[in-house]
Amino acid sequence: MTDDDTGPMGIDRTRIEKGGFLLFLAVLTALALLVAWPFLAALFWSVLAAIMFQPLYQRILASMGGKANRAALATLGVITVAVVIPMIVIGTMIVDQATEVYLALSEQQIDAGEFFIRIREALPARVQVMIEGSGYGDFDTVRDRLAELARESAGMIAGRAMAIGGGALGFVLSFGVGLYVTYFLLRDGQTLGPALRRALPMPQDVARPLSDRFLSIVRATIKGSVVVGLVQGALGAITFWIAGLPAVLLFGLLMAILSLLPAVGPAIVWLPAAVYLLATGAIWQGVFVIVSGVAVIGMADNVLRPILVGRDTGIPDWIILISTLGGIAAFGISGVVAGPVIAGLFLAAWPMLSPREEPAPEGE
């Protein structure tokens, strides 16, 4: 250290300057987050779309002779037509069905508790006696709870729809920003990724495996949770439509969400529906729902998940469940992916603190 680096009272000027720069950088980062906060969800989904569709972009780029701008626009068109527009249309229909169910329940046009009573009356007398003896025979209380649960569930979806409708300008703006950013991420992703990794304030032998882990978890989560859930929800909606049940898209959405639960999953929706159909005399419809639930909806997870995901995540099922539900509670729909990604990076980062074993010398 030279005299120029030391202040009049022996203070290390270089350290102060470095600390001042870090403080300035922290404040600047906080301000940047504040500015981008209204579009954080749109930016997050743009990153996910760029990661998932980067292979498609590379194929289109090769077919167009390396014209990056045209390839990015073509890929963005595929995303819009194949993913965005169908989700908007289906989402609007689900919202309409949820609103209709909520209004019908509020105006008592549908008595959710009556379904439970009809199922109870269809049970054998011995089973009814067993239920009464077990302490679960207070059907009036159960009926009221079921009606309240149905109103709250449908009302929550309807409320979300009204919130989106009320902020239509913000939704359109975020949607446009998301597509705009996705275009540049697709075009420049191959250079942005390594540049961001090199800019991380950590050793490259740590940053590299963490970035690779991030990419693998994102791909596995979207393919394993989102795609498989949507397939199971679609199969459930088709099953309910064939069986003549109402609000099939709403029930399909519920099955897609509940597919996150291991073992039971969509059966929480289709099994009570099958029991109700059987109890009300719709025998073939009830049998069809059971067969489809076991052989089609349930098997879709067992067939698709190993093909789409393989062993990309290495995260236990119970951690995926907790992180997904917790992510939804914290970040909304973005938490479906954000939760497992955070959990995966957490599990990958902590072992890096432990000292690595040195290789044994040769001859020992």
Side-chain angles (χ1 to χ4, degrees):
M1 183 183 300
T2 64
D3 293 339
D4 294 339
D5 295 329
T6 306
M9 301 182 65
I11 299 176
D12 188 349
R13 181 175 178 82
T14 303
R15 183 176 298 178
I16 294 177
E17 291 175 349
K18 184 177 181 181
F21 175 73
L22 291 176
L23 178 61
F24 170 75
L25 190 61
V27 172
L28 199 62
T29 302
L31 292 175
L33 286 174
L34 181 64
V35 170
W37 189 261
F39 305 102
L40 196 61
L43 295 175
F44 177 74
W45 285 104
S46 296
V47 172
L48 299 184
I51 292 173
M52 294 304 299
F53 288 93
Q54 185 65 217
L56 175 62
Y57 165 75
Q58 293 298 328
R59 287 195 291 269
I60 295 177
L61 180 64
S63 66
M64 289 187 171
K67 297 179 179 179
N69 290 331
R70 293 184 181 181
L73 282 174
T75 307
L76 198 62
V78 172
I79 296 173
T80 304
V81 173
V83 178
V84 176
I85 293 178
M87 288 186 65
I88 292 177
V89 173
I90 295 174
T92 303
M93 296 171 67
I94 291 174
V95 166
D96 290 340
Q97 290 186 1
T99 304
E100 291 175 2
V101 171
Y102 175 71
L103 293 175
L105 289 168
S106 300
E107 298 171 1
Q108 296 184 346
Q109 298 176 10
I110 299 177
D111 188 356
E114 185 66 24
F115 296 163
F116 182 78
I117 293 177
R118 296 179 68 175
I119 293 176
R120 181 202 65 177
E121 293 175 347
L123 295 174
R126 182 176 298 180
V127 176
Q128 294 187 35
V129 172
M130 290 176 59
I131 294 176
E132 292 285 350
S134 65
Y136 294 98
D138 188 0
F139 291 105
D140 291 335
T141 301
V142 175
R143 179 181 59 187
D144 294 340
R145 293 288 178 86
L146 285 175
E148 181 181 356
L149 176 62
R151 282 194 297 269
E152 290 181 356
S153 300
M156 180 180 66
I157 299 176
R160 291 283 184 181
M162 295 175 184
I164 293 175
L169 178 59
F171 174 77
V172 172
L173 187 59
S174 297
F175 180 73
V177 168
L179 290 179
Y180 186 73
V181 173
T182 302
Y183 166 80
F184 288 101
L185 292 178
L186 285 169
R187 192 191 67 178
D188 305 327
Q190 293 294 316
T191 55
L192 283 176
L196 289 174
R197 186 177 62 198
R198 289 192 299 270
L200 290 175
M202 61 180 68
Q204 288 303 299
D205 61 341
V206 174
R208 187 174 294 106
L210 281 180
S211 62
D212 294 340
R213 182 69 170 164
F214 170 77
L215 294 176
S216 66
I217 294 174
V218 166
R219 294 191 180 102
T221 301
I222 292 179
K223 291 187 291 185
S225 297
V226 179
V227 175
V228 174
L230 290 175
V231 170
Q232 288 188 295
L235 293 173
I238 294 172
T239 298
F240 278 24
W241 176 71
I242 295 175
L245 290 169
V248 295
L249 291 177
L250 179 60
F251 285 119
L253 174 63
L254 293 176
M255 281 186 268
I257 295 173
L258 292 172
S259 66
L260 299 171
L261 300 175
V264 287
I268 298 176
V269 177
W270 64 255
L271 186 57
V275 172
Y276 172 74
L277 290 171
L278 293 173
T280 54
I283 303 300
W284 78 263
Q285 292 94 331
V287 172
F288 173 75
V289 170
I290 293 175
V291 172
S292 178
V294 174
V296 179
I297 302 174
M299 289 301 296
D301 179 77
N302 298 328
V303 173
L304 291 177
R305 195 176 297 273
I307 297 174
L308 295 175
V309 180
R311 298 183 178 181
D312 281 351
T313 59
I315 305 175
D317 289 341
W318 66 273
I319 294 182
I320 292 178
L321 171 64
I322 293 174
S323 60
T324 302
L325 297 180
I328 293 174
F331 307 112
I333 191 64
S334 300
V336 172
V337 180
V341 168
I342 293 172
L345 292 177
F346 174 83
L347 295 176
W350 273 99
M352 293 181 180
L353 288 177
S354 59
R356 300 178 182 177
E357 296 183 0
E358 296 292 338
E362 295 182 3
E364 293 187 4

